[in-house]
Amino acid sequence: MHLHIVTAADVSSLEISNLASDRLRLSYIYQAAIELGYKVSNGINIPDADAYFVSALTKEIDEKIIFQLKERIKNKKKLLFTDYVDDWLSVKNSINKNIYIQLNDLGAIFTVPIEGLANRLKKNVIKIFIIPDGLDKIPNIDTTPINNKTRNVLWHGHASNIFSLIRVIEDKLVDYEFNLNVITNFSSLEILKKTKFKKNPKCNFIIHNWSLNKIQEIAIKCDFAILPVNKKWASENRLITTFRLGLPIIAETISSYKPFSKYYSDFKNDQIYSMFNNPALSHKSVKLAQKKISSEYDKNKILGLWKKCLNIDL
């Protein structure tokens, strides 16, 4: 069985990629296929193969590549998978939407990280596998009462998340004085630099270049983290990573966060005040969340789900 993974990523460094879809999904797909004994190739040039897996779409995967796939699959019995991690089919006039429509027309099996996305697809997609994101390759960090006089607060994310951060620091957190450690990439930093706040926040911005090592380095110096969200159907991966960093969290609730809602605070005024006043009150909740994560997101369990998906009969 020859599986070709359609991706522009360097498969030798998937586990440290800036893209969560590479670290927490594609790395698992690659390992699962190898463990199944498949011959695995990768790249955006499409060879002849028994099965194809189109990774979460990036700018390198365009309609020319989909045309290559059509030519390889045409009138042949081949398996086709695609990883669908954002609700592109609901976006008007989107290239990615057109690509997913074409993949669906080719009979692609869709893999999604959360049930909400599966429910969005059910009307139009025949076969869907729900497989959660895996875990970042970091250890669980114990909660530590830092108790900085001026609170050190962590936020990590990229351009797809930055507008939610801007929204809360110019509103709910606008009058709090704290050090905001922003761990991000260049594109979201440029957005932040160009932002004209409706009301200037009192926080002090400390900017760090995104990497898993940097997130761990900064987390141990922070009192808690904030995780506002602007994508309704995002997976729980940032929430889970933050709990594993040993940090109490103020978060907004979306469907994938609900199973963890009793372990974090939300952006209600009284809960924000309580977190700034005494984040150590949430340390027990963080430990319980870490225990739940270790049980439910076991690597072998998630690899087993990918193997079941990839091993489907033609």
Side-chain angles (χ1 to χ4, degrees), residues 3-6 25-26 29 51-58 61 66 69 79-86 88-89 96 99-113 121 125 127-129 131 306 309-310:
L3 174 70
H4 182 77
I5 299 175
V6 182
R25 300 186 69 76
L26 201 54
I29 296 162
Y52 299 94
F53 197 109
V54 180
S55 68
L57 297 186
T58 58
I61 301 175
I66 304 307
L69 273 173
L79 276 172
L80 176 62
F81 304 88
T82 187
D83 201 23
Y84 186 77
V85 300
D86 289 298
W88 285 109
L89 289 172
N96 284 356
I99 289 174
Y100 280 116
I101 289 172
Q102 291 179 68
L103 289 170
N104 190 40
D105 289 343
L106 288 169
I109 297 162
F110 278 61
T111 58
V112 299
L121 291 173
V125 177
K127 191 66 178 177
I128 305 166
F129 281 86
I131 304 176
W306 281 114
C309 170
L310 295 174

Side-chain angles (χ1 to χ4, degrees), residues 71-299:
E71 291 298 300
R72 290 293 188 186
I73 291 171
K74 188 165 55 178
N75 301 321
K76 295 176 184 175
K77 201 174 181 183
K78 307 239 182 201
L79 276 172
L80 176 62
F81 304 88
T82 187
D83 201 23
Y84 186 77
V85 300
D86 289 298
D87 192 20
W88 285 109
L89 289 172
S90 297
V91 178
K92 294 181 179 178
N93 302 318
S94 161
I95 292 173
N96 284 356
K97 177 179 182 176
N98 292 336
I99 289 174
Y100 280 116
I101 289 172
Q102 291 179 68
L103 289 170
N104 190 40
D105 289 343
L106 288 169
I109 297 162
F110 278 61
T111 58
V112 299
I114 63 168
E115 187 176 355
L117 278 177
N119 291 335
R120 304 280 287 176
L121 291 173
K122 278 180 180 176
K123 286 184 180 179
N124 301 307
V125 177
I126 295 172
K127 191 66 178 177
I128 305 166
F129 281 86
I130 304 171
I131 304 176
D133 288 348
L135 298 180
D136 272 316
K137 202 170 182 180
I138 59 173
N140 279 349
I141 297 175
D142 289 336
T143 55
T144 305
I146 304 295
N147 204 27
N148 292 301
K149 185 175 180 181
T150 299
R151 294 296 181 204
N152 273 344
V153 178
L154 174 72
W155 180 88
H156 61 98
H158 296 312
S160 60
N161 318 113
I162 193 70
F163 292 105
S164 63
L165 175 66
I166 291 167
R167 171 169 49 79
V168 296
I169 61 175
E170 69 178 3
D171 182 19
K172 291 285 188 177
L173 303 181
V174 70
D175 291 323
Y176 284 91
E177 296 182 7
F178 61 99
N179 294 318
L180 178 57
N181 291 271
V182 176
I183 305 179
T184 192
N185 59 3
F186 177 78
S187 57
S188 53
L189 178 57
E190 287 301 298
I191 293 169
L192 196 57
K193 284 179 179 178
K194 294 174 183 176
T195 296
K196 295 181 179 178
F197 293 102
K198 289 186 293 185
K199 187 178 178 183
N200 287 329
K202 294 181 180 178
C203 64
N204 173 43
F205 290 95
I206 305 173
I207 308 298
H208 310 273
N209 191 39
W210 193 98
S211 74
L212 281 177
N213 287 338
K214 180 59 68 173
I215 289 174
Q216 294 172 79
E217 175 193 328
I218 301 303
I220 60 175
K221 302 173 185 177
C222 288
D223 299 278
F224 62 90
I226 55 173
L227 281 181
V229 290
N230 60 336
K231 295 199 293 185
K232 186 177 180 181
W233 304 112
S235 86
E236 66 274 36
N237 65 61
R238 284 199 309 144
L239 183 76
I240 284 174
T241 294
T242 310
F243 275 132
R244 295 184 66 225
L245 293 168
L247 290 176
I249 303 169
I250 306 175
E252 292 177 320
T253 298
I254 53 177
S255 65
S256 63
Y257 285 16
K258 284 181 180 178
F260 295 91
S261 60
K262 65 182 178 181
Y263 304 118
Y264 61 79
S265 300
D266 64 27
F267 279 91
K268 292 179 181 175
N269 290 335
D270 59 333
Q271 294 190 39
I272 294 171
Y273 176 82
S274 177
M275 185 66 79
F276 273 92
N277 187 51
N278 191 358
L281 292 175
S282 296
H283 284 182
K284 183 178 179 181
S285 293
V286 175
K287 291 175 183 177
L288 290 171
Q290 289 182 341
K291 187 176 180 180
K292 176 181 174 72
I293 291 161
S294 294
S295 170
E296 296 182 9
Y297 294 81
D298 174 76
K299 184 170 185 177

